Amino acid sequence: MLRFALDLKVPATSNQAERDLRPAKVQQNISGRLTSEKRTQDRFTIRGYLSTAAKNGVDAMTALRGAVTGSPWMPPVPIRA
């Protein structure tokens, strides 16, 4: 919860997480509902993966290509002091 205090690369707010959810909320407002729960969960999983990759300097196409070809990009393991 307070990781930003130890790692200055971590933002102190959750605004990015809220922006990641915006497309689903827009779809819900337009159509009056979301798609199936499974499809929504899959969409959030993919968006979260791409968002994390982007935050680590990996472009979306590279991350997607790796995931589809069986060698997905993984975030670096944080070093604990």
Side-chain angles (χ1 to χ4, degrees), residues 20-56:
D20 290 344
L21 295 176
R22 183 168 300 281
K25 291 303 290 179
V26 169
Q27 178 186 351
Q28 182 180 25
N29 290 339
I30 291 170
S31 68
R33 67 177 181 86
L34 292 173
T35 55
S36 73
E37 186 174 334
K38 172 76 172 110
R39 184 172 179 175
T40 301
Q41 183 60 47
D42 290 345
R43 179 178 292 144
F44 287 156
T45 299
I46 293 167
R47 297 277 307 163
Y49 175 74
L50 294 177
S51 177
T52 302
K55 290 173 193 171
N56 283 275

